[in-house]
């Protein structure tokens, strides 16, 4: 399984914000430049993260974005469930009739479903705080 760029960038943005010094705001451009990723993608992601209440946006001069929750309150598994749009690993896991000829007897769907659930259970055990244990190291690497 591979995460979409959307989920990857959402995690990176949250990690960046979690590594900021207390009270500091970041700009989308600053985050995009730090990771060398698309500013336009981050704008869409920031909008959704703000709608979810995970980040706070401050408009105007001196504005920017920051976390709206403590990093320990942001669960990685929950975030991935929100940002990923498709957990159907094979065609037979999709809604509707499967065109695969072996679907009536095949055990693969159940094995993949079990693996997916295990994957998500592991992500559920971690928060943003677990990912950013040493904010200073992140600040040094991201140069902010």
């Amino acid at each position: 399984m591979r995460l979409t760029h959307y989920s990857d960038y959402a995690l990176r943005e949250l990690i960046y914000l979690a590594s900021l010094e207390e009270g500091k705001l970041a700009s989308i451009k600053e985050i995009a430049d730090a990771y060398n990723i698309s500013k336009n993608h981050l704008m869409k992601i920031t909008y959704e993260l703000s709608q979810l209440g995970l980040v706070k946006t401050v408009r105007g001069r001196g504005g920017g974005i920051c976390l709206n929750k403590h990093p320990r309150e942001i669960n990685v598994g929950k975030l991935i469930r929100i940002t990923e749009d498709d957990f159907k690993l094979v065609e037979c896991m999709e809604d509707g009739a499967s065109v695969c000829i072996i679907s009536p007897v095949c055990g693969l769907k159940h094995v993949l479903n079990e693996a997916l659930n295990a994957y998500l259970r592991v992500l559920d055990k971690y928060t943003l705080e677990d990912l950013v244990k040493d904010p200073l190291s992140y600040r040094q690497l991201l140069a902010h």
Side-chain angles (χ1 to χ4, degrees):
M1 172 162 188
R2 182 179 182 147
L3 294 178
T4 60
H5 288 302
Y6 195 90
S7 294
D8 178 19
Y9 294 174
L11 283 165
R12 290 193 210 191
E13 178 173 329
L14 292 172
I15 287 169
Y16 189 96
L17 296 175
S19 71
L20 289 175
E21 291 179 49
E22 185 79 26
K24 187 167 185 225
L25 299 174
S27 71
I28 292 172
K29 181 183 179 336
E30 190 181 309
I31 299 169
D33 289 348
Y35 289 119
N36 195 28
I37 58 179
S38 167
K39 181 181 165 198
N40 290 333
H41 280 81
L42 275 184
M43 287 173 58
K44 294 174 192 170
I45 291 165
T46 300
Y47 175 77
E48 183 173 354
L49 294 176
S50 71
Q51 295 295 79
L52 294 168
L54 300 177
V55 301
K56 179 171 71 173
T57 59
V58 178
R59 291 185 162 272
R61 189 173 182 89
I65 56 177
C66 62
L67 289 180
N68 195 39
K69 292 185 172 196
H70 191 280
R72 82 172 76 80
E73 298 176 281
I74 300 174
N75 182 271
V76 176
K78 185 175 180 183
L79 178 71
I80 295 302
R81 284 179 181 83
I82 292 168
T83 58
E84 286 295 315
D85 60 354
D86 184 6
F87 287 103
K88 291 151 181 86
L89 303 176
V90 290
E91 178 253 340
C92 61
M93 293 175 87
E94 296 176 15
D95 295 333
S98 173
V99 295
C100 180
I101 193 73
I102 63 172
S103 286
V105 296
C106 183
L108 179 61
K109 176 181 176 178
H110 302 292
V111 170
L112 290 176
N113 196 46
E114 183 180 346
L116 175 61
N117 288 330
Y119 171 77
L120 292 170
R121 274 194 308 274
V122 169
L123 293 176
D124 287 340
K125 292 194 289 187
Y126 296 94
T127 66
L128 184 58
E129 184 176 60
D130 296 318
L131 303 181
V132 187
K133 289 190 182 291
D134 182 10
L136 180 58
S137 294
Y138 281 91
R139 285 196 294 273
Q140 290 170 341
L141 290 170
L142 294 167
H144 58 93

